[in-house]
Amino acid sequence: MKTLVMVRHGKSSWDYSVSDKDRPLQERGVNDALLVSSKFKSQASKVDAVFSSPANRALHTCMIFVRQLNLPLSSVQITNELYDFSGESVFDFIANLDDSLDSVMIFGHNHAFTHVANSLGNSYIDNVSTSGLVHLNFNVDNWNSVEKGTTKQTIFPKDLR
């Protein structure tokens, strides 16, 4: 069994004249990430590895979750493959994960995460919201065998406020 937990970055700020990768989180983005990570922690599963897009907003969201879940910083890896908006690089990333990892958490972007969630899960999600979490299970032993799985849960900030 393989488990994939996808988290879209928190609400970002457009108040600064910075590149897309450098855009920070808004205060709401920080608060929503705290809400969702706290809820996920209460039902927490084991997480073998954490991967994040290098974008500031994704990495900041990732760090909030890592702290809330008491995961070691050494479990976090930054990968350009998750700085993807279509989903194609995310699919490649998943297929190439190390099979010794059973449970992986990834932090990235939309439209990619909504596309991946709908392609690999069994529940339709109109939109993975900012700070939204989608937890998928796959009855396979190898990541490159991942096709259709089960949407175990979704946690969206609007449902927790």
Side-chain angles (χ1 to χ4, degrees), residues 45-96:
S45 331
K46 141 184 113 91
V47 176
D48 295 325
V50 178
F51 298 90
S52 177
S53 157
N56 183 28
R57 60 197 183 276
L59 196 52
H60 190 175
T61 304
C62 174
M63 288 298 108
I64 291 168
F65 273 77
V66 164
R67 282 194 306 270
Q68 285 279 101
L69 300 173
N70 298 314
L71 297 171
L73 278 179
S74 59
S75 68
V76 179
Q77 295 176 56
I78 298 168
T79 176
N80 284 319
E81 286 177 281
L82 295 177
Y83 187 67
D84 173 33
F85 303 93
S86 71
E88 294 314 306
S89 290
V90 176
F91 285 125
D92 290 343
F93 175 79
I94 293 166
N96 290 302

